[in-house]
Amino acid sequence: MRIGELSRKTGVPVPTIKYYVREGLLPAGELTSRNQASYDETHERRLRLIRALLDVGGMKVAEIADVLAAVDDPERPLHKVLGAAADRMGGTADGHDDAEAAAARTTVTDLISRRGWRTHESNPAATDLARALAALTRLGHGTFAELLDTYAEAAEQVARADLAYVDRRVAVEDMVEGVVIGTVLGEAVFSALRRLAHVDASARLYGAEGAPGAEAPTLTPSAAPPERGPTGRR
């Protein structure tokens, strides 16, 4: 296909496609004449992956280049390729390096060791977790760390489900895209499910008038409203 058709099929403007080619993110098309090039389905797939990494993953061009280099490396194990995508979707350092931050890093290191996870405390996700725990401690909620193993068990189950979905894919590029989409949008899905579960758990634990399944409050005789007279007056 010509570059114009590639643009129409992917929704990416022609100047942007040419920019990706100049930056080495997208292979150049096959020259059919001095000023014309032909593109095929591999260019379309790569272009869609670039947009997923950019728009969904929030990555910068240099980070995308690193991920694509991993995808194109035939010697790179699939685990490393998927990790190259996932590791670049974390947050940025918040600048705090106080006692709370140090304690949080220790807590995360202990968690990784206790769970037997095949990762390292230098992983960007571990950094994100430590930053969140430190922030909770500064707000007076340091005991939240006592729930980490419960959260970790749920996270392990969700991770297995995520990778089972990714494993349905055949092409490595599709798998990487699945990791990006699943990590970003999957977190949004899980967050929404968690909020719904919170509403249900709160209603069951504390009761909520009018909530489905909640018992209606019982009025004691002393709390019951006085009877109305014939005129409606109390």
Side-chain angles (χ1 to χ4, degrees), residues 1-3 28-40 43:
M1 72 188 86
R2 298 285 180 85
I3 193 170
E30 182 181 353
L31 287 176
T32 55
S33 66
R34 183 175 181 179
N35 297 318
Q36 295 289 341
S38 176
Y39 299 84
D40 57 24
H43 292 90

Side-chain angles (χ1 to χ4, degrees), residues 100-184:
E100 289 80 6
R105 288 192 293 269
T106 299
T107 298
V108 173
T109 299
D110 291 343
L111 174 71
I112 292 173
S113 176
R114 186 168 64 251
R115 304 296 305 182
W117 285 349
R118 301 177 187 180
T119 185
H120 192 266
E121 59 268 17
S122 62
N123 186 288
T127 302
D128 289 346
L129 177 56
R131 181 167 57 250
L133 292 176
L136 282 165
T137 300
R138 296 186 192 105
L139 291 170
H141 293 278
T143 55
F144 189 89
E146 297 173 2
L147 303 177
L148 279 180
D149 279 292
T150 302
Y151 274 73
E153 290 174 7
E156 289 169 358
Q157 184 176 353
V158 171
R160 287 192 293 269
D162 286 343
L163 290 182
Y165 172 75
V166 171
D167 198 46
R168 300 178 190 174
R169 311 294 181 171
V170 177
V172 173
E173 290 191 355
D174 288 344
M175 287 184 170
V176 172
E177 182 177 290
V179 168
V180 175
I181 303 289
T183 299
V184 178

Side-chain angles (χ1 to χ4, degrees), residues 17-228:
I17 295 176
K18 292 181 177 179
Y19 168 72
Y20 292 155
V21 172
R22 288 197 304 271
E23 293 297 316
L25 302 183
L26 185 71
E30 182 181 353
L31 287 176
T32 55
S33 66
R34 183 175 181 179
N35 297 318
Q36 295 289 341
S38 176
Y39 299 84
D40 57 24
E41 289 76 10
T42 60
H43 292 90
E44 181 180 350
R45 175 182 290 174
R46 174 56 58 91
L47 194 53
R48 293 188 188 280
L49 176 58
I50 292 171
R51 297 307 299 188
L53 294 170
L54 181 68
D55 298 337
V56 181
M59 295 184 191
K60 299 178 181 178
V61 170
E63 295 171 330
I64 294 175
D66 290 341
V67 173
L68 296 180
V71 171
D72 293 334
D73 183 358
E75 303 299 324
R76 187 81 63 98
L78 180 59
H79 170 67
K80 297 293 185 180
V81 175
L82 299 181
D87 287 352
R88 285 164 177 77
M89 290 186 289
T92 57
D94 60 2
H96 284 91
D97 192 14
D98 49 17
E100 289 80 6
R105 288 192 293 269
T106 299
T107 298
V108 173
T109 299
D110 291 343
L111 174 71
I112 292 173
S113 176
R114 186 168 64 251
R115 304 296 305 182
W117 285 349
R118 301 177 187 180
T119 185
H120 192 266
E121 59 268 17
S122 62
N123 186 288
T127 302
D128 289 346
L129 177 56
R131 181 167 57 250
L133 292 176
L136 282 165
T137 300
R138 296 186 192 105
L139 291 170
H141 293 278
T143 55
F144 189 89
E146 297 173 2
L147 303 177
L148 279 180
D149 279 292
T150 302
Y151 274 73
E153 290 174 7
E156 289 169 358
Q157 184 176 353
V158 171
R160 287 192 293 269
D162 286 343
L163 290 182
Y165 172 75
V166 171
D167 198 46
R168 300 178 190 174
R169 311 294 181 171
V170 177
V172 173
E173 290 191 355
D174 288 344
M175 287 184 170
V176 172
E177 182 177 290
V179 168
V180 175
I181 303 289
T183 299
V184 178
L185 297 185
E187 285 187 2
V189 169
F190 188 75
S191 176
L193 287 170
R194 183 188 182 205
R195 294 198 305 272
L196 288 171
H198 273 182
V199 174
D200 175 69
S202 176
R204 293 175 185 274
L205 183 60
Y206 303 116
E209 187 175 356
E215 295 183 0
T218 302
L219 292 176
T220 62
S222 60
E227 295 181 0
R228 294 177 181 271

